[in-house]
Amino acid sequence: MQHQARCRRFDPMPHAAGSPEITQSGTAFMTRTVYLNGQWLPEDQAKVSIFDRGYVFADAIYEVTAVIGGKLLDYPGHTARLKRSLEAIGISMPVSEDELLDLHHTIVEKNGLDQGLVYLQISRGAEDRNFLFSDNLTPTLSMFTQVVPLLANPKAETGLAVISMPDGRWANRQIKTVQLLYSSLAKMEAKNRGADDVIFVEDGLITEASSANFHIITKSGVLVTRQLSNALLHGITRSSVLSLALTAQLKVEERAFSVEEAQDAAEAFITSAGAFVMPVVSIDGTSIGDGKPGKTTLRIREIYIEDQLSRAMAR
Ligand code: PLP
């Protein structure tokens, strides 16, 4: 789509069926009135902060309600699920049930929607990026409509062709996506339980930390780190640290290991762009080694920082 075609002017006049305009590409479209945090706005004037947690952490929930003849279908089911979703991730409902229903009717009326969908999204709100969120955030509530021929859908005549795929929701952790809701909630849980971070375990084996790679140094001095796969993010810091470890003649093994093996290790640490090399001193209350940052870990941290500073890129 041409950029011009997406820069729509708003028709301030209420209209029964939206105002068709012709874009440079010749496509007619309707200018919608959308809802954002208590305001009715032309769709191109509704702006959400880039710090909104829905945008940065996928920390949001949504509902979609069908509309036929201007009436809401299955509305009680959708609001009930909306409440369940909000409760599950600890976001409070920003409006009352009556207000929510009124918003649905109003958005249908304002857009003269006969057949289509009402989309509603509630995010936890905006604040500076941090996996740990504040408890006083104001949720972001946005709504828009879409005209869809639900009844006269031609696909109902022809049927759908589908393909099968492994259910990979979400088995692709090697991709650095913003789908970080689980990690954020996990980090909050760690905080609530008096810990600093979480290591994730799958099939009894550690994958990585909530926002870092996890490594151990065995009692015989071997640096063990999980091999790369779609089970973990391929950390850039991890890669640099492994190169430095090999240069420093440290033995490195890339394999999976359990929580028990990690608890029994001499040392443990995480790596990430934000933490560099950070010692881990206990897992689930069990001390690793003497419960203090390991000497080898701290040496690797020094070497890493020294190496990075010697190679850091200036303009
Ligand atoms: N694993 C996860 C899940 C992460 O989110 C991160 C960093 O954000 C890392 C590992 C470490 O990657 P890097 O060293 O590239 O920062």
Side-chain angles (χ1 to χ4, degrees), residues 20-32:
E21 290 185 15
I22 307 297
T23 67
Q24 281 192 348
S25 61
T27 320
F29 60 84
M30 303 298 174
T31 302
R32 290 169 293 187

Side-chain angles (χ1 to χ4, degrees), residues 127 133-137 188:
E127 69 177 337
F133 50 83
S134 309
D135 56 12
N136 58 354
L137 293 182
M188 285 302 282

Side-chain angles (χ1 to χ4, degrees), residues 13-221:
M13 299 296 291
H15 38 70
S19 294
E21 290 185 15
I22 307 297
T23 67
Q24 281 192 348
S25 61
T27 320
F29 60 84
M30 303 298 174
T31 302
R32 290 169 293 187
T33 298
V34 303
Y35 178 85
L36 177 62
N37 295 335
Q39 285 188 296
W40 295 104
L41 295 163
E43 63 179 82
D44 57 357
Q45 285 177 31
K47 301 278 176 6
V48 177
S49 165
I50 62 163
F51 297 107
D52 194 277
R53 290 183 54 91
Y55 183 68
V56 180
F57 285 108
D59 189 357
I61 56 90
Y62 77 103
E63 271 301 330
V64 176
T65 304
V67 172
I68 304 271
K71 294 178 187 161
L72 304 166
L73 273 57
D74 251 343
Y75 182 79
H78 288 290
T79 28
R81 187 173 58 191
L82 175 73
K83 282 199 281 181
R84 289 200 301 276
S85 301
L86 285 171
E87 265 170 40
I89 65 169
I91 298 180
S92 53
M93 178 76 111
V95 291
S96 71
E97 283 189 36
D98 288 349
E99 283 166 329
L100 193 69
L101 177 58
D102 188 60
L103 287 175
H104 276 79
H105 286 313
T106 306
I107 201 162
V108 168
E109 285 160 18
K110 280 190 183 288
N111 291 282
L113 184 65
D114 178 54
Q115 235 180 90
L117 303 170
V118 175
Y119 178 94
L120 172 149
Q121 180 168 323
I122 300 174
S123 82
R124 197 178 304 276
E127 69 177 337
D128 199 11
R129 186 180 186 275
N130 191 338
F131 279 74
L132 297 172
F133 50 83
S134 309
D135 56 12
N136 58 354
L137 293 182
T138 307
T140 303
L141 169 52
S142 58
M143 293 172 74
F144 58 81
T145 54
Q146 289 181 312
V147 175
V148 183
L150 297 172
L151 293 178
N153 187 335
K155 284 287 180 189
E157 301 288 323
T158 58
L160 304 172
V162 301
I163 61 162
S164 67
M165 283 178 66
D167 192 337
R169 302 173 293 168
W170 184 242
N172 285 304
R173 302 167 205 145
Q174 80 283 12
I175 305 171
K176 197 166 167 73
T177 81
V178 296
Q179 187 175 294
L180 293 171
L181 176 58
Y182 185 76
S183 309
S184 174
L185 294 176
K187 223 163 196 161
M188 285 302 282
E189 172 77 13
K191 184 184 171 200
N192 293 337
R193 284 164 49 182
D196 296 297
D197 205 345
V198 178
I199 48 170
F200 292 134
V201 182
E202 187 172 55
D203 300 330
L205 301 168
I206 296 169
T207 54
E208 57 181 332
S210 67
S211 58
N213 293 116
F214 181 74
H215 325 267
I216 54 173
I217 295 173
T218 65
K219 286 181 173 142
S220 51

Side-chain angles (χ1 to χ4, degrees), residues 131 176 208-213 233-238 271-274:
F131 279 74
K176 197 166 167 73
E208 57 181 332
S210 67
S211 58
N213 293 116
L233 187 72
H234 301 185
I236 305 303
T237 319
R238 172 191 181 279
T271 54
S272 75

Side-chain angles (χ1 to χ4, degrees), residues 235-246:
I236 305 303
T237 319
R238 172 191 181 279
S239 167
S240 296
V241 161
L242 292 191
S243 303
L244 292 170
L246 289 170

Side-chain angles (χ1 to χ4, degrees), residues 239-260:
S239 167
S240 296
V241 161
L242 292 191
S243 303
L244 292 170
L246 289 170
T247 308
Q249 313 286 306
L250 207 64
K251 194 165 173 237
V252 173
E253 271 177 30
E254 291 190 70
R255 62 169 173 81
F257 52 93
S258 65
V259 170
E260 293 71 30

